[in-house]
């Protein structure tokens, strides 16, 4: 048996035993088989298991089949890696070491390392040695095969295995300006189909500038340029060239992100071959370093013929440790080489605890004893040489044998930004052993003190326990309460029948005409009153619902008989005992704190802080054991800040965000790989300088000539794409301008032949003075009547306020002032959302958003220049004056582009309002499919408005809430359809998810709000909960195809449906419908979740 398998089984059994113990304690059931059955039925959910046991629906459990076997491990000629799942608690030296002996004990374990290519083996084994292991065959269930396909889809998906419809394609923005790189901003990597794992690893390595230089300046050996000799050369050399091309684009591209497809395809092809089997995502890093090592080894052998070549990949990423141990009383000591160092997460709180457990295995006392015939075994690891880049692989996945599926470990694990490795170095072996022994002694004291403290804090012999100090305080309160010499039942009539007083009240309530017949407690009789008529009820006091207590009833129980002397003695004892208990508790807590502090500072002296490693990158996984999404946090030492690399998105981040997403215990995100770099080797992250000028090299200057030409060619293509786009847009703008001019000319020609009339007529369309569409009045519709009435009212009020008759020009000025005052009063009112005056008039919107005075004046002039006002001479004259003033306005007085921009913003505001209104109406009717696109686009358009100002749009939290709720409802409905098992329902449910929900998930992730993140997690968890459940093979296959799409979501926006076509509403209709739907929302809670 391999060390890794034994450890995996032990931890799985430990986790299962913990659940069994919890179930036994909660339910009192002692039947182990029954408890195991409950866990299997509930898929490990403790609450469901308890419900299962309490309902007594358990069936006879079926025994898991197990295969008993022994296995040896063939060593790797090049290097030996530590088991990828360790802590390696098999008490043996590494099986590949000289003198190593395979395990002889029969251990009950399921063989999961056979020749079967099924990826479940990889999820179980988690990074075993990839190419040099001897495997044994074993049976895998259909359910396990279905689960395994989810993992394969997330790491080795090809175009045939995962078909995407048009609505699911990762699409580029058609506007190349959206894809243009900002100055000095790092370049992202496009997700080309579940390749977030590739992006996270490559970005972490690329930002190691020494590694970046090695890749960029790599040149293949001359002897293999024409014809590679073997398969490794045939595979590795093309990959190296594609990696160089990719790195060069990441250095000097003008694009915001680049496409890694060529390098990814080579990797995928290799992983499909029989020679290279992909284990899991972390194994990709192993494989990548192997390939790079091979490529550089060929170059090193050519450059140093006759000498022992130095491989820069080995120098950079590989270290050595000394394995010191005892096997059955015989001591051994061997040196091993390691790359990524695996650490077990489960059961540990921080990185140092993981390292301590990984460095010590077995009975360490036997290592220091002189007894040669001892049967005990154990070993220690001591680093003799640490690599400049130290990578820890955190094992956050384990196989649950009870449930028959892999599970992710979400436990919180803290790690520092600066890690001192002195305590693990071979040269500090004796000092560390002394300190470890001291820590062990302190922890024994700590355990004893904590047990003593627990007796004070959990006092009592029953199931419920309380702090002893509180118990004494309660006793003191009871003793000092006012004595009551009567029984607590004396003031209550206990002669009532078994039904109690409430039993007598019920008939009286149901037959009021018979009068009150209940017996009330003494002192609570109702006041004398006349006999009630058949039309009236007598108000009856109900003691158990009205909670009216007699005035002399004490709040707490009290002793019936106690003398002053007894009370004095008792209070003195209780006070003294309580003080003693509090002092003892305080002393214990102080001692515990001091021991904790001593342990924390055990390695803080300068002699143990000489090997500093600074955290360079954290690779994060979000999701479940079977599928998920990956991204990386990478430290920028020059800007001294953390950056988040999430596929095409590269954003500024912080240590606080990293902690939230990486430590675990919060949501389903946690670190699975930590990359530290030696802080005393600055060359790892130092920029390159020109040897002649001394200037720092940047951009294309960092590249060799062949790559510089490659990047220039790609940048030229991108520049050409931008130029073609700009030309196309300019042509479209010119065509629109010509079309507008032609329409204007035609309108002017039509207008010039129309006689002036007092009848309502279409408004003029004169050049730049054309009304905005929401002010156009082609006929006396509701809108025109509404605006016309407002205008006439302003004219009449202005005329009535004048002492003497004024000229039409003076009357126009007064009327505009009256109208503006009215609208200003609306704008200044603090109204409810259902009474949004911005919808009633554009001027209110302008005032809210502080539009320039010239914009307000021209808009009001346009209102009074409407030809629909020409029904009487006074209005007709004012209309002519207003039109004349508009004709006299010079272009330099009013910026028409700015004027049109303000009115376009208002049109967008009304359009957003209509989207929101229709979306909310459909949501209230439970038409969630139809409502979604309206809510999605209302949210997107509203955010664009709010960028310009707080009052440009609506409440984004409100729209965000209903957008989120609509997606959750659709997810719930689709999950219900899937659970039905009916083929049409299943297809319909998955169609809803693929075409509506999944494309919208990046919209929830892009702004990183907590409620949206929780909603996404809820949706993902709902579908992940089906993993491992029994279902038809066709459902398993559909679930396997769907889950990667749901889980592998970055913030890259996918293309989805075009916005719905909006109907036309008059102002009055819009205001009324919007007010009605908003008023209905005010009657429900703001957040229904």
């Amino acid at each position: 048996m391999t060390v890794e398998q034994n450890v995996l089984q032990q931890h799985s059994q430990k986790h299962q035993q913990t659940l069994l113990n919890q179930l036994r304690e909660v339910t009192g059931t002692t039947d182990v088989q029954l408890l195991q059955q409950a866990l299997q039925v509930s898929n490990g959910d403790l609450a469901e298991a308890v419900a299962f046991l309490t309902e007594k629906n358990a069936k006879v459990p079926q025994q898991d089949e197990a295969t008993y076997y022994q296995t040896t491990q063939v060593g790797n000629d090049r290097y030996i890696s530590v088991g990828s799942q360790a802590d390696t608690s098999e008490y043996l030296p590494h099986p590949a070491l000289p003198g190593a002996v395979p395990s002889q004990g029969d251990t009950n374990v399921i063989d999961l390392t056979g020749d079967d290519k099924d990826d479940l083996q990889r999820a179980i084994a988690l990074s075993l040695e990839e190419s040099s292991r001897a495997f044994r065959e074993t049976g895998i269930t259909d359910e396990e095969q279905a689960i395994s396909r989810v993992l394969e889809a997330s790491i080795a998906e090809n175009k045939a295995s995962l078909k995407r419809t048009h609505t699911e394609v990762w699409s580029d923005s058609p506007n190349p300006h959206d894809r243009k790189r900002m100055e000095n901003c790092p370049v992202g990597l496009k997700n080309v189909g579940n390749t977030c794992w590739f992006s996270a690893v490559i970005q972490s390595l690329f930002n190691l500038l020494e590694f970046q230089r090695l890749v960029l300046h790599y040149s293949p050996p001359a002897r293999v340029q024409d014809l590679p000799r073997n398969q490794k050369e045939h595979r590795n050399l093309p990959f190296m060239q594609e990696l160089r091309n990719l790195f060069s684009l990441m250095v000097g591209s003008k694009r915001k992100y680049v496409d890694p497809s060529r390098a990814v395809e080579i990797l995928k092809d290799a992983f499909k071959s029989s020679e290279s089997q992909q284990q899991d995502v972390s194994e990709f890093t192993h494989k990548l370093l192997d390939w790079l090592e091979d490529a550089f080894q060929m170059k090193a052998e050519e450059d140093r013929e006759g000498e022992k070549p130095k491989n820069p990949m080995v120098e950079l990423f590989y270290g050595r440790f000394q394995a010191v141990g005892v096997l059955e009383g015989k001591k051994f000591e061997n040196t091993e080489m390691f790359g990524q160092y695996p650490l077990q997460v489960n059961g540990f709180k921080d990185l140092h605890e993981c390292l301590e457990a990984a460095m010590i295995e077995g009975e360490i006392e036997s290592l220091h004893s002189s007894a040669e015939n001892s049967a005990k075994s154990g070993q220690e690891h001591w680093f003799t040489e640490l690599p400049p880049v130290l990578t820890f692989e955190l094992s956050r996945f384990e196989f649950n044998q009870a449930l028959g599926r892999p599970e992710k470990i979400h436990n919180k694990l803290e790690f520092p930004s600066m890690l001192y490795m002195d305590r693990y170095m071979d040269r500090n072996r004796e000092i560390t052993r002394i300190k470890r022994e001291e820590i062990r002694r302190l922890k024994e004291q700590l355990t004893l003190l904590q047990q003593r403290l627990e007796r004070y804090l959990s006092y009592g012999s029953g199931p419920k326990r309380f702090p002893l100090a509180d118990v004494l305080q309660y006793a003191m309160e009871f003793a000092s309460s006012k004595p009551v010499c009567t029984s607590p039942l004396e003031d209550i009539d206990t002669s009532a029948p078994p039904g109690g007083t409430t039993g007598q009240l019920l008939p009286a309530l149901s037959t009021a005409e018979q009068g009150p017949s209940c017996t009330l407690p003494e002192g609570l009789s109702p006041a004398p009153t006349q006999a009630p008529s058949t039309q009236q009820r007598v108000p009856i006091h109900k003691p158990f619902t009205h909670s009216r207590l007699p005035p002399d009833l004490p709040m707490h129980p009290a002793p019936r008989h106690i003398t002053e002397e007894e009370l004095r003695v008792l209070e003195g004892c209780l006070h003294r005992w309580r003080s003693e208990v509090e002092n003892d508790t305080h002393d214990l807590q102080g001692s515990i704190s001091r021991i904790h502090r001593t342990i924390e500072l055990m390695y803080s002296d300068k002699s143990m802080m000489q090997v500093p490693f600074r955290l360079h990158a954290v690779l994060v996984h979000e999701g479940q054991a079977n599928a998920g999404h990956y991204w990386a946090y990478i430290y920028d030492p020059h800007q001294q800040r953390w950056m988040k690399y999430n596929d095409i998105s590269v954003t500024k981040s912080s240590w606080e965000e990293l902690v939230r997403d990486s430590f675990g215990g919060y949501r389903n995100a946690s670190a699975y790989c930590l990359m530290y770099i030696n802080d005393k080797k600055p060359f790892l992250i130092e920029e390159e300088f020109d040897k002649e000028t001394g200037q720092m090299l940047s951009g294309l200057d960092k590249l060799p000539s062949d790559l510089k030409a490659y990047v220039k060619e790609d940048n030229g293509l991108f520049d050409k794409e931008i130029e073609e786009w700009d030309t196309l847009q300019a042509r479209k703008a010119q065509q629109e301008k010509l079309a507008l001019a032609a329409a204007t000319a035609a309108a002017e020609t039509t207008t010039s032949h129309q006689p002036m009339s007092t009848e309502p007529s279409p408004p003029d369309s004169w050049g730049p003075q054309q009304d905005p569409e929401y002010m156009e009045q082609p006929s006396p519709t509701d809108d025109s009547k509404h605006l016309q009435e407002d205008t006439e009212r302003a004219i009449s009020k202005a005329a009535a306020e004048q002492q003497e008759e004024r000229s039409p020009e003076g009357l126009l000025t007064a009327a505009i002032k009256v109208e503006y005052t009215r609208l200003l009063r609306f704008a200044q009112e603090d109204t409810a959302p259902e009474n949004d005056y911005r919808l009633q008039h554009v001027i209110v919107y302008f005032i809210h958003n502080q539009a320039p005075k010239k914009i307000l004046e021209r808009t009001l002039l346009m209102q009074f220049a409407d030809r629909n006002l020409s029904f009487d001479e006074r209005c007709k004259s004012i209309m002519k004056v207003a039109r004349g003033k508009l004709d006299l306005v010079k272009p330099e007085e009013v910026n028409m582009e700015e004027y049109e921009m303000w009115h376009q913003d208002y049109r967008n505001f009304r359009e957003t309002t209509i989207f929101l209104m229709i979306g909310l109406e459909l949501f209230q009717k439970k038409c969630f499919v139809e409502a979604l696109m309206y809510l999605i686009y209302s949210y997107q358009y509203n955010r664009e408005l709010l960028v310009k100002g707080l009052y440009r749009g609506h409440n984004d939290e409100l729209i965000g809430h209903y957008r989120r709720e609509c997606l959750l409802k659709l997810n719930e409905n689709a999950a219900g359809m899937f659970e039905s098992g009916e083929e049409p329902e299943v297809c319909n449910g998955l169609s809803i998810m693929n075409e509506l929900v999944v494309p919208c998930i990046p919209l929830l992730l892009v702004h990183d709000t907590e409620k949206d993140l929780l909603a996404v997690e809820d949706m993902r968890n709902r579908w992940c909960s089906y993993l491992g459940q029994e279902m038809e093979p066709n459902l398993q296959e559909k679930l396997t195809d769907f889950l990667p799409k749901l889980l592998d979501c970055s913030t890259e926006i996918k293309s989805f449906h075009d916005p719905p076509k909006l109907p036309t509403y008059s102002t009055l209709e819009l205001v009324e419908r919007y007010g009605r739907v908003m008023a209905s929302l005010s009657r429900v809670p703001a957040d229904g979740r």
Side-chain angles (χ1 to χ4, degrees):
M1 180 188 302
T2 62
V3 172
E4 294 86 347
Q5 291 168 326
N6 190 27
V7 172
L8 188 61
Q9 184 206 9
Q10 289 176 4
H11 282 278
S12 178
Q13 291 174 345
K14 180 180 178 181
H15 180 67
Q16 180 185 3
Q17 189 61 43
T18 301
L19 290 176
L20 290 174
N21 291 340
Q22 291 175 339
L23 268 182
R24 185 183 294 111
E25 181 178 350
V26 172
T27 63
T29 303
T30 58
D31 188 334
V32 176
Q33 290 186 342
L34 190 59
L35 293 172
Q36 290 176 339
Q37 167 115 21
L39 281 179
Q40 290 176 347
V41 170
S42 63
N43 288 328
D45 188 304
L46 198 59
E48 291 186 11
V50 172
F52 175 85
L53 290 172
T54 53
E55 292 172 5
K56 301 186 183 300
N57 287 331
K59 299 179 181 179
V60 179
Q62 297 179 354
Q63 298 295 326
D64 291 333
E65 294 185 4
T67 304
Y68 301 86
Y69 68 94
Q70 300 173 355
T71 182
T72 58
Q73 183 178 0
V74 180
N76 191 320
D77 294 336
R78 187 173 54 204
Y79 71 92
I80 298 171
S81 173
V82 198
S84 65
Q85 280 301 304
D87 79 54
T88 51
S89 57
E90 181 91 348
Y91 308 149
L92 299 173
H94 199 287
L97 298 176
V101 179
S103 173
Q104 300 300 321
D106 286 342
T107 306
N108 186 353
V109 64
I110 299 176
D111 182 1
L112 294 169
T113 56
D115 285 333
D116 196 320
K117 297 178 183 179
D118 197 292
D119 269 332
L120 180 60
Q121 300 165 13
R122 303 165 217 167
I124 301 167
L126 285 177
S127 307
L128 300 176
E129 295 290 348
E130 66 275 15
S131 61
S132 62
R133 299 213 182 261
F135 295 101
R136 291 174 178 263
E137 294 185 356
T138 184
I140 305 284
T141 65
D142 291 340
E143 180 182 357
E144 290 169 344
Q145 293 175 8
I147 296 173
S148 71
R149 286 194 293 270
V150 180
L151 182 60
E152 172 153 12
S154 70
I155 59 179
E157 173 202 22
N158 54 49
K159 295 178 182 179
S161 65
L162 188 60
K163 297 180 180 179
R164 295 179 182 270
T165 64
H166 171 70
T167 60
E168 300 162 336
V169 173
W170 295 93
S171 60
D172 294 325
S173 169
N175 185 350
H177 291 283
D178 295 338
R179 294 180 272 117
K180 190 173 182 179
R181 179 183 182 183
M182 297 178 62
E183 187 177 1
N184 298 325
C185 183
V187 175
L189 291 176
K190 184 179 179 181
N191 190 321
V192 292
N194 293 319
T195 57
C196 50
W197 47 274
F198 178 88
S199 301
V201 174
I202 289 297
Q203 291 283 16
S204 301
L205 294 173
F206 173 81
N207 281 277
L208 286 170
L209 299 186
E210 177 65 12
F211 179 84
Q212 181 189 121
R213 284 189 287 270
L214 287 171
V215 171
L216 291 174
H217 293 280
Y218 176 84
S219 58
R223 59 179 173 76
V224 297
Q225 297 240 358
D226 299 327
L227 185 64
R229 295 182 305 177
N230 53 46
Q231 185 177 357
K232 281 187 178 180
E233 292 180 357
H234 183 76
R235 176 195 65 196
N236 295 352
L237 295 178
F239 175 75
M240 279 300 302
Q241 185 56 44
E242 292 303 334
L243 190 61
R244 292 181 72 238
N245 292 341
L246 180 62
F247 272 29
S248 66
L249 291 175
M250 294 168 72
V251 169
S253 178
K254 292 183 179 181
R255 304 175 190 267
K256 180 181 177 182
Y257 55 90
V258 294
D259 190 334
S261 297
R262 292 183 178 179
V264 171
E265 287 303 321
I266 296 176
L267 284 171
K268 287 182 177 179
D269 290 341
F271 294 151
K272 296 172 198 168
S273 69
S274 58
E275 178 188 352
S276 304
Q277 297 187 24
Q278 171 70 354
Q279 299 287 336
D280 62 0
V281 175
S282 63
E283 189 67 14
F284 160 69
T285 311
H286 285 291
K287 191 72 63 181
L288 176 64
L289 293 180
D290 281 353
W291 288 16
L292 293 172
E293 184 183 342
D294 287 340
F296 277 95
Q297 187 67 24
M298 289 185 287
K299 181 65 175 173
E301 290 173 355
E302 181 184 69
D303 294 343
R304 288 176 170 264
E305 292 186 4
E307 301 179 23
K308 185 177 180 180
K310 285 190 175 181
N311 191 317
M313 290 296 106
V314 174
E315 299 288 323
L316 203 58
F317 293 103
Y318 292 100
R320 298 177 186 275
F321 68 83
Q322 193 85 0
V324 182
V326 174
L327 176 62
E328 297 179 353
K330 295 181 180 181
K331 294 186 178 181
F332 66 89
E333 191 166 326
N334 297 290
T335 300
E336 301 184 20
M337 197 172 183
F338 71 94
Q340 297 183 84
Y341 201 87
L343 296 174
Q344 184 68 31
V345 170
N346 207 7
F348 306 108
K349 69 176 183 179
D350 59 41
L351 187 60
H352 278 299
E353 285 193 3
C354 295
L355 275 167
E356 289 282 356
M359 303 296 283
I360 302 174
E361 305 169 16
E363 302 289 340
I364 61 173
E365 290 83 358
S366 62
L367 301 178
H368 315 139
S369 65
S370 58
E372 289 291 331
N373 58 353
S374 173
K376 295 182 178 179
S377 300
Q379 62 174 305
E380 292 176 336
H381 291 173
W382 299 97
F383 292 117
T384 57
E385 181 184 349
L386 289 172
V389 182
L390 179 59
T391 305
F392 295 113
E393 179 184 312
L394 304 182
S395 174
R396 284 194 170 271
F397 302 94
E398 66 178 4
F399 187 74
N400 188 321
Q401 290 181 332
L403 304 179
R405 67 181 185 186
E407 288 184 337
K408 183 177 179 182
I409 302 169
H410 295 293
N411 299 355
K412 182 178 181 180
L413 183 80
E414 299 178 0
F415 48 84
S417 58
M418 186 67 73
L419 178 68
Y420 294 95
M421 295 294 293
D422 303 74
R423 71 185 77 173
Y424 311 109
M425 302 302 295
D426 184 59
R427 62 175 177 265
N428 296 323
R429 184 191 300 186
E430 296 306 320
I431 298 175
T432 301
R433 281 176 175 171
I434 294 172
K435 289 182 178 291
R436 283 177 178 171
E437 179 61 26
E438 178 64 16
I439 289 175
R440 186 189 64 79
R441 186 185 62 80
L442 289 172
K443 286 187 174 180
E444 288 178 354
Q445 294 181 13
L446 189 62
T447 301
L448 182 61
L449 292 174
Q450 287 174 334
Q451 289 174 351
R452 290 179 180 176
L453 179 61
E454 184 66 17
R455 294 172 186 172
Y456 283 95
L457 298 180
S458 300
Y459 183 80
S461 57
K464 292 186 178 180
R465 306 194 174 192
F466 305 93
L468 180 54
D470 291 348
V471 173
L472 295 172
Q473 176 65 28
Y474 299 153
M476 193 183 309
E477 291 174 0
F478 172 78
S480 59
S481 298
K482 181 181 177 181
V484 177
C485 298
T486 58
S487 167
L489 301 177
E490 286 184 3
D491 58 347
I492 298 178
D493 186 358
T494 59
S495 61
T501 307
T502 52
Q504 298 177 1
L505 289 175
L506 294 175
L509 293 175
S510 60
T511 55
E513 50 276 359
Q514 296 179 8
S517 60
C518 62
T519 303
L520 298 179
E522 184 179 347
L524 296 178
S525 300
T529 182
Q530 296 179 353
S533 68
T534 57
Q535 304 299 325
Q536 295 178 332
R537 294 178 182 267
V538 175
I540 300 174
H541 171 64
K542 294 171 282 188
F544 296 102
T545 56
H546 285 193
S547 300
R548 192 171 71 190
L549 299 175
D552 59 344
L553 187 64
M555 292 299 295
H556 301 289
R560 298 191 192 177
H561 305 287
I562 186 170
T563 65
E564 292 293 334
E565 180 65 20
E566 290 173 337
L567 180 59
R568 183 181 60 79
V569 172
L570 184 57
E571 284 185 340
C573 292
L574 291 173
H575 273 294
R576 185 175 70 254
W577 295 339
R578 186 169 183 268
S579 298
E580 293 171 356
V581 168
E582 288 178 341
N583 291 335
D584 291 346
T585 303
H586 184 267
D587 291 343
L588 286 169
Q589 290 172 335
S591 298
I592 290 172
S593 298
R594 284 191 295 273
I595 292 178
H596 275 302
R597 184 64 174 163
T598 302
I599 294 175
E600 289 174 2
L601 299 177
M602 187 64 69
Y603 296 98
S604 60
D605 52 291
K606 289 186 178 180
S607 64
M608 301 298 284
M609 300 177 69
Q610 299 302 309
V611 189
F613 275 77
R614 182 179 56 76
L615 186 62
H616 164 69
V618 180
L619 280 65
V620 179
H621 173 269
E622 180 183 27
Q624 304 297 331
N626 309 94
H629 180 58
Y630 297 85
W631 67 88
Y633 290 101
I634 303 173
Y635 187 71
D636 184 343
H638 307 290
Q639 301 293 331
Q640 295 187 343
R641 67 183 176 215
W642 286 94
M643 302 291 291
K644 182 178 181 179
Y645 290 78
N646 192 351
D647 290 336
I648 68 170
S649 172
V650 182
T651 56
K652 296 177 183 179
S653 186
S654 64
W655 175 254
E656 290 72 25
E657 183 183 2
L658 184 152
V659 167
R660 185 195 69 186
D661 287 348
S662 305
F663 278 11
Y666 175 74
R667 307 206 320 266
N668 287 335
S670 54
Y672 76 92
C673 186
L674 306 177
M675 192 176 289
Y676 283 88
I677 59 176
N678 193 321
D679 204 42
K680 290 187 175 181
K681 296 183 178 180
F683 73 90
L684 293 169
I685 53 174
E686 276 183 347
E687 292 285 357
E688 192 174 1
F689 291 85
D690 188 278
K691 295 180 180 179
E692 297 180 359
T693 64
Q695 297 292 324
M696 186 178 75
L697 299 179
S698 61
L700 296 178
D701 294 335
K702 298 172 68 173
L703 305 178
S705 57
D706 61 326
L707 293 181
K708 190 179 296 185
Y710 176 78
V711 174
K712 284 183 177 180
E713 180 183 359
D714 185 77
N715 286 341
L717 294 174
F718 188 61
D719 288 338
K720 184 177 180 181
E721 183 183 357
I722 292 177
E723 183 181 348
E724 291 175 351
W725 171 268
D726 292 341
T727 302
L728 178 63
Q729 298 307 307
R731 188 182 302 117
K732 287 183 178 179
Q734 183 65 24
Q735 291 173 351
E736 291 175 359
K737 187 175 181 180
L738 292 174
L740 179 62
T744 301
E748 287 178 347
T749 303
T750 304
T751 303
S752 63
H753 291 86
Q754 289 183 349
M756 297 297 290
S757 171
T758 58
E759 295 298 322
S761 60
D764 281 351
S765 300
W766 66 94
Q769 300 180 8
Q770 183 176 2
D771 288 349
E773 62 184 36
Y774 49 86
M775 297 181 68
E776 291 178 0
Q777 314 300 337
S779 62
T781 61
D782 291 341
D783 256 3
S784 65
K785 290 180 181 179
H786 171 67
L787 192 61
Q788 179 182 338
E789 289 171 359
D790 289 341
T791 309
E792 290 173 359
R793 193 179 300 109
I795 294 173
S796 300
K797 186 174 182 180
E801 290 176 353
Q802 303 303 316
Q803 299 292 336
E804 55 188 28
E805 186 172 348
R806 286 194 177 186
S807 63
E809 185 173 348
L811 191 56
L812 171 64
T813 303
I816 289 178
K817 183 178 180 181
V818 168
E819 179 69 355
Y820 178 77
T821 302
R822 179 181 74 90
L823 298 174
L824 178 63
R825 187 172 64 253
F826 286 161
Q828 292 174 340
E829 284 188 23
D830 186 11
T831 60
E834 58 264 28
N835 298 322
D836 194 337
Y837 287 123
R838 293 176 298 174
L839 292 173
Q840 297 189 17
H841 205 289
V842 63
I843 291 295
V844 179
Y845 182 83
F846 287 172
I847 295 173
H848 269 291
N849 293 286
Q850 302 177 345
K853 182 180 178 182
K854 293 289 186 182
I855 305 297
L856 297 173
E857 290 175 351
R858 183 176 180 86
T859 304
L860 285 169
L861 272 177
M862 293 288 289
Q863 177 179 334
F864 283 86
D866 184 3
R867 284 191 171 177
N868 286 324
L869 296 177
S870 59
F871 71 97
D872 64 16
E873 288 301 323
R874 183 172 62 185
C875 291
K876 182 178 179 180
S877 61
I878 288 178
M879 181 268 293
K880 288 182 177 180
V881 171
R883 293 172 69 84
K885 284 184 174 293
L886 287 172
D887 291 336
L888 294 175
V889 174
K890 299 178 181 179
E892 61 269 16
E893 293 180 4
V894 178
N895 186 333
M896 291 307 297
E897 289 185 3
E898 183 182 18
Y899 175 84
E900 179 55 34
M901 181 197 73
W902 276 95
H903 282 272
Q904 182 60 49
D905 282 352
Y906 185 66
R907 283 191 287 271
N908 294 342
F909 170 72
R910 284 174 60 100
E911 184 176 293
T912 302
T913 304
I914 296 173
F915 273 118
L916 175 59
M917 177 186 72
I918 297 176
L920 292 176
E921 289 175 341
L922 291 170
F923 182 89
Q924 291 179 331
K925 295 175 182 177
K926 302 187 185 306
C927 302
F928 303 119
V929 172
E930 295 81 359
L932 180 62
M933 283 301 110
Y934 287 98
L935 294 173
I936 289 290
Y937 279 100
S938 68
Y939 186 86
Q940 295 301 110
Y941 293 160
N942 191 65
R943 287 196 67 89
E944 294 174 7
L945 289 171
L946 292 179
V947 169
K948 297 183 178 181
L950 181 62
Y951 299 104
R952 294 287 184 120
H954 296 285
N955 185 337
D956 62 330
E957 290 187 6
L958 173 75
I959 307 177
H961 167 76
Y962 283 97
R963 178 188 69 161
R964 184 168 58 248
E965 285 298 306
C966 192
L967 283 168
L968 286 168
K969 294 289 186 184
L970 286 173
N971 184 76
E972 182 180 348
N973 293 347
M977 295 177 184
F978 182 81
E979 290 173 1
S980 71
E982 300 293 332
E983 185 67 19
E985 289 287 293
V986 170
C987 293
N988 192 18
L990 291 177
S991 175
I992 290 174
M993 294 300 297
N994 285 325
E995 297 181 12
L996 295 176
V997 178
V998 171
C1000 293
I1001 284 182
L1003 300 176
L1004 299 184
L1005 297 175
V1006 69
H1007 299 296
D1008 203 28
T1009 62
E1010 184 176 0
K1011 291 182 178 179
D1012 285 347
L1013 292 177
L1014 290 174
V1016 172
E1017 183 182 356
D1018 287 347
M1019 289 187 279
R1020 289 175 173 173
N1021 286 344
R1022 177 65 182 269
W1023 289 92
C1024 286
S1025 68
Y1026 299 136
L1027 290 172
Q1029 295 186 17
E1030 293 186 3
M1031 61 180 69
E1032 296 295 328
N1034 66 315
L1035 295 184
Q1036 284 281 13
E1037 184 176 355
K1038 292 178 185 295
L1039 181 64
T1040 300
D1041 286 341
F1042 164 67
L1043 271 180
K1045 306 174 191 177
L1046 178 66
L1047 293 172
D1048 188 17
C1049 291
S1050 70
T1051 54
E1052 181 178 7
I1053 307 300
K1054 304 173 185 178
S1055 60
F1056 46 90
H1057 299 282
D1058 293 331
K1061 188 174 181 181
L1062 296 179
T1064 302
Y1065 294 102
S1066 68
T1067 297
L1068 287 178
E1069 186 178 4
L1070 177 60
V1071 169
E1072 180 183 352
R1073 287 185 60 174
Y1074 179 78
R1076 187 164 58 243
V1077 72
M1078 293 303 293
S1080 66
L1081 296 184
S1082 65
R1083 294 191 291 269
V1084 299
D1087 193 340
R1089 290 190 65 231

